[in-house]
Amino acid sequence: MMKKLIQTILSVLAVALVVYIYTTSFDGEMGMILIAFLVFAPLISLFFALNGRNRLNISISCDAYVNKGSDLKVKVIVEKEGRLPLPIIEIVPYVSEVFDDGVKTYRFSMFSEERVEFTFNVRAKTGGNGSIAVRRAYSCGFLGFMKFGLKKGLPEAVSVGVVPDVPEIKASSQLFRNIADVVMTTDDDEDNDTSMLFSANTAPGCEHREYVQGDPLKRINWKLSSKRDKLMVRLDEAASAVQPLIVLDLFRKEGAQPEYAVITEEKILRSVFGLLGVLVKQGIACTFLYYASDGSVVSENVDNPDYPAQLLLKVLAVNVREGRRISVPAENSSVCACLIATTDAGPGLAAVTDKLDKETSSILGVSAESANVTGLPMWYLDEDETFRMV
């Protein structure tokens, strides 16, 4: 900033020196005209530039989601108040790390126009949550030598979710088979317990019945329904106990470089939603834990094969906060199996894993080189989109 100010002062002094030499050595009348121009023109320009600081309103808008590798069209609208002409307006947009940062600076004047609208495109390069904003906006005067920030402030950043390509995980994946085996074993144990209860009471009954209109979808046993080729509804209240718990922990260390953090976050999103998709498609309903936009931990029942795609959009709408680790409420800790998908399995994760059953819990990390101090087995998705244990 200081360097730019010095350059501006030197430029003005250089012009003044040339005018002085021209006035005293060559043409005095023309020199006086140039001097008048250099005195009055900046004053008039200064008036309009200062006046423009209070009369500009800027808004920015774009789609809420964009696929990775696609272009996002961003619209910027600048409106002035009153009829006085405005000098040069300079706007510098901002895009976060999930986009290619190739945005240029825009300059235009508003003499007779009351509204100026322009658009620019940015390329989405990394899956995750991003933002589009106006970094700086100035009212400029006298050929750009004078520049003043707007007094009305800048518009709020617009949140944009960049949708990554979620891999199609095969049902033969070892991680899926491990979770499925635990669920099926727990489910069979529960069926036996229920049958014994009915036998002891010598009363006819069953744990499931066929689905009827109005039954909640979260009570459907998708595994049993796939076996019988018709929808079957659980009658007991312990349905959540046989659902694996999937926990999404997009943890970003304080002071971490955002351009590197978004890469690891995208890897976890692809891994966990690829796994979630194959679980639900194979009839295994899951409980999914994540942070909502209001900062609360949300637990959702995922029992419909079409729902993971909708759930991904909810996750992408939330900005990742530095230093925020996921927490598992007590009511979600008693599950048949738990998988924590995390960008960092360091010491801070111990507070989460201590509440869980160590025999049925595991970690889904970024890569084989990721640190893991929890003592739980850790899996990762390799380049062939296959889950492997470290």
Side-chain angles (χ1 to χ4, degrees):
M1 188 69 179
M2 181 62 67
K3 181 179 179 181
K4 188 173 182 180
L5 178 61
I6 294 175
Q7 290 176 344
T8 301
I9 295 175
L10 291 177
S11 299
V12 174
L13 291 177
V15 173
L17 178 62
V18 171
V19 173
Y20 173 77
I21 295 174
Y22 188 87
T23 302
T24 57
S25 304
F26 299 100
D27 191 337
E29 183 178 352
M30 183 57 68
M32 294 303 297
I33 296 176
L34 291 176
I35 291 176
F37 171 77
L38 290 176
V39 172
F40 292 109
L43 291 177
I44 296 173
S45 182
L46 176 63
F47 167 77
F48 283 112
L50 292 175
N51 181 263
R53 298 178 65 192
N54 306 307
R55 298 168 49 214
L56 282 176
N57 297 307
I58 304 175
S59 61
I60 185 171
S61 62
C62 61
D63 292 336
Y65 299 96
V66 61
N67 290 325
K68 178 183 176 180
S70 301
D71 288 336
L72 177 68
K73 184 177 181 180
V74 183
K75 179 189 293 185
V76 180
I77 299 176
V78 183
E79 297 177 296
K80 74 174 183 180
E81 299 174 357
R83 296 187 175 277
L84 283 177
L86 295 182
I88 301 298
I89 309 301
E90 180 178 302
I91 293 181
V92 183
Y94 161 81
V95 297
S96 62
E97 293 75 19
V98 297
F99 300 100
D100 280 330
D101 189 8
V103 182
K104 66 177 184 179
T105 299
Y106 293 84
R107 297 182 181 88
F108 52 88
S109 62
M110 298 182 71
F111 283 91
S112 58
E113 301 87 350
E114 295 185 359
R115 170 190 171 107
V116 171
E117 177 182 316
F118 65 89
T119 60
F120 63 90
N121 293 331
V122 291
R123 175 62 60 92
K125 66 176 182 178
T126 308
N129 177 267
S131 59
I132 307 288
V134 174
R135 187 194 302 270
R136 294 184 297 272
Y138 301 103
S139 176
C140 307
F142 197 61
L143 305 178
F145 289 134
M146 295 178 290
K147 186 182 294 187
F148 304 98
L150 303 186
K151 280 191 173 181
K152 288 199 171 184
L154 302 177
E156 292 186 1
V158 179
S159 176
V160 180
V162 178
V163 184
D165 53 323
V166 178
E168 290 284 343
I169 305 299
K170 297 180 181 179
S172 59
S173 170
Q174 187 61 48
L175 177 57
F176 164 77
R177 289 163 57 188
N178 287 0
I179 296 176
D181 288 345
V182 174
V183 172
M184 294 177 68
T185 301
T186 307
D187 204 10
D188 291 340
D189 291 343
E190 188 182 77
D191 289 343
N192 293 334
D193 292 343
T194 306
S195 299
M196 291 176 62
L197 178 64
F198 286 133
S199 299
N201 293 331
T202 64
C206 63
E207 189 186 14
H208 300 84
R209 64 167 169 78
E210 192 170 349
Y211 174 85
V212 295
Q213 188 69 28
D215 285 336
L217 292 179
K218 68 179 182 179
R219 301 295 296 278
I220 297 177
N221 185 331
W222 293 98
K223 181 166 68 72
L224 182 62
S225 299
S226 64
K227 294 179 181 179
R228 299 189 180 182
D229 292 328
K230 57 184 177 181
L231 294 179
M232 301 299 295
V233 179
R234 285 185 178 275
L235 300 181
D236 64 303
E237 294 297 331
S240 61
V242 296
Q243 290 186 0
L245 175 65
I246 310 295
V247 181
L248 178 61
D249 180 41
L250 294 178
F251 177 77
R252 184 183 296 185
K253 294 181 179 180
E254 295 184 1
Q257 294 293 331
E259 57 268 25
Y260 298 113
V262 294
I263 296 175
T264 60
E265 290 158 10
E266 180 191 31
K267 289 182 178 180
I268 288 299
L269 289 173
R270 295 183 72 251
S271 302
V272 71
F273 278 94
L275 177 64
L276 187 62
V278 69
L279 285 168
V280 180
K281 286 179 182 178
Q282 295 299 319
I284 300 177
C286 303
T287 301
F288 190 81
L289 216 63
Y290 68 101
Y291 269 112
S293 56
D294 61 357
S296 63
V297 177
V298 178
S299 175
E300 292 208 32
N301 188 65
V302 186
D303 54 10
N304 189 316
D306 296 328
Y307 192 58
Q310 302 175 32
L311 188 57
L312 175 59
L313 297 183
K314 290 184 178 182
V315 172
L316 293 175
V318 181
N319 184 34
V320 178
R321 298 180 186 174
E322 290 186 355
R324 184 172 68 174
R325 180 78 74 177
I326 194 71
S327 60
V328 179
E331 60 269 21
N332 294 113
S333 58
S334 300
V335 292
C336 63
C338 178
L339 180 73
I340 301 179
T342 181
T343 53
D344 182 273
L349 194 62
V352 179
T353 58
D354 287 346
K355 303 177 182 178
L356 306 173
D357 186 351
K358 300 297 188 294
E359 295 183 0
T360 59
S361 301
S362 55
I363 302 293
L364 181 58
V366 176
S367 66
E369 291 75 28
S370 299
N372 178 20
V373 300
T374 64
L376 300 177
M378 187 174 75
W379 298 78
Y380 71 98
L381 188 68
D382 66 8
E383 295 180 354
D384 297 327
E385 297 184 345
T386 301
F387 287 110
R388 299 190 182 279
M389 181 183 290
V390 178

